[in-house]
Amino acid sequence: IEMQALRLMLYQFAHAFTKNSLYKTHEDKLRARVRELFWNCEMLADGLADFTPRPNVFLAAYIYPELLSKNEWKTCFRHTLNSIWLDWGGIATQSDNHDSLYWVNNIAAIVMHRVDKNLFKTYIDKIHTASKDELLWKGCVGMPAVSAKEGDPAYALSAATFIELCHELEQ
């Protein structure tokens, strides 16, 4: 779903940059088709007919928030969180494991804040606390101890998205 969101965002950007209405037409058609194939009024599919709850819906919301209305995003997030939320303050990369990536958690908190900061306050606060503890007090400052291997770009993504989350929360 995040790949579909990226393509939609590219059409949106191309239209804004060039003012060529063909890009807007492509965006509108693809948005309608993605909604038809990926949205079941409760969840966004990760892939065609794959409604396994995954954190990719948060990436899609971050990349192309216009895909769903705020109320639809609320519904989608609630259903997804029911399956992949980890009590320590993160989301599992898949519904059947406990692996988590801090940069994805931070993105999830950012989009939940943008959609409804009151409804998702508990999740946002837990993610913020977990990321803060991990990035500031474990491993080496700015390098998460558990979510990436040395040389992995997730190091930088975790630090960068944590800074963006703090900015979003104005902390």
Side-chain angles (χ1 to χ4, degrees):
I1 189 64
E2 73 275 17
M3 294 299 132
Q4 301 301 324
L6 280 168
R7 188 169 178 187
L8 284 160
M9 185 267 308
L10 287 172
Y11 283 142
Q12 184 181 59
F13 177 77
H15 176 254
F17 185 70
T18 66
K19 307 297 185 221
N20 184 334
S21 62
L22 181 62
Y23 294 116
K24 180 66 173 149
T25 300
H26 286 323
E27 178 189 354
D28 292 344
K29 285 181 180 179
L30 181 59
R31 181 178 180 271
R33 189 74 171 140
V34 169
R35 287 179 57 86
E36 175 188 335
L37 295 174
F38 287 78
W39 176 239
N40 70 2
C41 296
E42 289 185 348
M43 293 181 65
L44 272 175
D46 187 52
L48 284 176
D50 180 4
F51 284 91
T52 305
R54 291 196 179 93
N56 303 36
V57 298
F58 297 103
L59 299 177
Y62 182 79
I63 295 164
Y64 190 76
E66 298 85 354
L67 181 59
L68 301 177
S69 70
K70 283 198 176 194
N71 283 334
E72 289 170 329
W73 282 121
K74 287 180 203 180
T75 299
C76 178
F77 293 166
R78 283 194 306 259
H79 280 85
T80 302
L81 287 166
N82 284 340
S83 298
I84 64 172
W85 180 251
L86 302 170
D87 288 335
W88 57 261
I91 52 178
T93 54
Q94 295 190 25
S95 59
D96 59 349
N97 70 31
H98 296 287
D99 292 340
S100 188
L101 297 170
Y102 281 90
W103 72 271
V104 175
N105 292 340
N106 295 330
I107 295 286
I110 290 166
V111 296
M112 285 188 281
H113 187 265
R114 291 176 182 169
V115 167
D116 192 327
K117 63 184 175 187
N118 296 320
L119 177 64
F120 297 112
K121 183 176 180 5
T122 301
Y123 297 106
I124 295 164
D125 290 347
K126 282 190 172 188
I127 288 172
H128 179 255
T129 298
S131 288
K132 179 175 61 178
D133 290 348
E134 177 68 23
L135 289 168
L136 297 179
W137 310 119
K138 296 178 181 169
C140 180
V141 174
M143 297 184 137
V146 297
S147 68
K149 293 182 172 72
E150 188 173 343
D152 189 327
Y155 278 144
L157 285 172
S158 294
T161 57
F162 175 68
I163 291 167
E164 185 176 356
L165 175 58
C166 289
H167 185 264
E168 179 78 23
L169 303 176
E170 298 179 13
Q171 295 184 358

